[in-house]
Amino acid sequence: IHRGTGADLGYTKIGNKNLIMPGVMIAHDCILGNNNILVDNSALAGHVRLGDYITLGGYTLVHQFCILGSYSFTGMGSIITMDVPAFTRVAGNPIKQAGLNSIGLERKSFTKEQISNLKKAWSEIMSNTRLEVRFTNEVNATPRPKIEKPIAIQRFFDEACSIFQPQIMPPKKATIMPP
């Protein structure tokens, strides 16, 4: 675990009840939430932010400045080079979304109704957003589903919408595909 640098936060913050297994590297100016599991030989580059209840599979590498939303899960050997929305499962190199982290949510005592609502919300956001070219205005203009929003679903919308910020320039003649 590396300390922070004067050029940024000046500290590295590790939350409570994190399980950090052998060989894990946490670089400077990282912020980890609570109750995360970082499996053997995972590595976080500088300035990475992890929410709460995240599981990083073994040998997962996270590029600098990436944000992983709460309750997300990475498969073994994943190489994370972009932000990962809350409640999402990703795997591979480059990473591909593998759906909602349903099993992780069941293990964290989410009810079947909460998981069903999260699946609806996840589908709504993911069907209206292309990860390759992120359009903030498209996400903000997308009507949110009219479902009851307990705290977990509100957190999902807040984290997912904050993650979908422009990170690369869209092609000059980009078209938005209808859902």
Side-chain angles (χ1 to χ4, degrees):
I1 299 174
H2 297 257
R3 62 182 166 188
T5 62
D8 194 19
L9 296 173
Y11 59 88
T12 297
K13 181 179 178 184
I14 309 290
N16 297 318
K17 298 184 180 178
N18 288 299
L19 174 58
I20 302 172
M21 295 184 182
V24 171
M25 196 277 297
I26 301 171
H28 59 90
D29 300 295
C30 288
I31 299 176
L32 278 69
N34 302 314
N35 301 295
N36 297 308
I37 301 172
L38 284 67
V39 179
D40 297 324
N41 299 305
S42 297
L44 307 178
H47 316 279
V48 169
R49 289 190 348 218
L50 299 184
D52 299 328
Y53 296 99
I54 294 170
T55 301
L56 296 183
Y59 299 93
T60 293
L61 305 176
V62 183
H63 192 268
Q64 62 189 10
F65 296 102
C66 286
I67 301 169
L68 281 75
S70 297
Y71 296 95
S72 58
F73 175 89
T74 69
M76 181 177 154
S78 296
I79 299 186
I80 312 295
T81 58
M82 65 172 69
D83 296 339
V84 176
F87 302 99
T88 303
R89 261 183 314 134
V90 296
N93 176 20
I95 60 166
K96 292 187 178 15
Q97 290 191 6
L100 189 74
N101 183 17
S102 303
I103 294 171
L105 296 175
E106 285 178 26
R107 291 177 180 165
K108 302 291 188 251
S109 302
F110 279 67
T111 66
K112 293 200 182 291
E113 182 182 7
Q114 288 173 320
I115 294 171
S116 175
N117 286 339
L118 282 167
K119 281 183 182 179
K120 290 176 193 173
W122 190 89
S123 295
E124 180 67 25
I125 287 180
M126 296 306 148
S127 68
N128 287 302
T129 306
R130 292 176 28 206
L131 289 179
E132 296 83 16
V133 180
R134 299 174 183 185
F135 294 100
T136 304
N137 58 348
E138 178 185 350
V139 173
N140 290 338
T142 301
R144 296 183 177 171
K146 303 292 185 215
I147 55 178
E148 189 176 322
K149 294 182 188 173
I151 293 170
I153 293 176
Q154 187 61 50
R155 175 189 257 181
F156 171 76
F157 279 116
D158 294 345
E159 287 190 23
C161 290
S162 71
I163 283 175
F164 293 119
Q165 300 296 320
Q167 294 189 355
I168 58 173
M169 293 300 293
K172 290 189 183 227
K173 293 185 180 180
T175 57
I176 298 173
M177 302 299 289

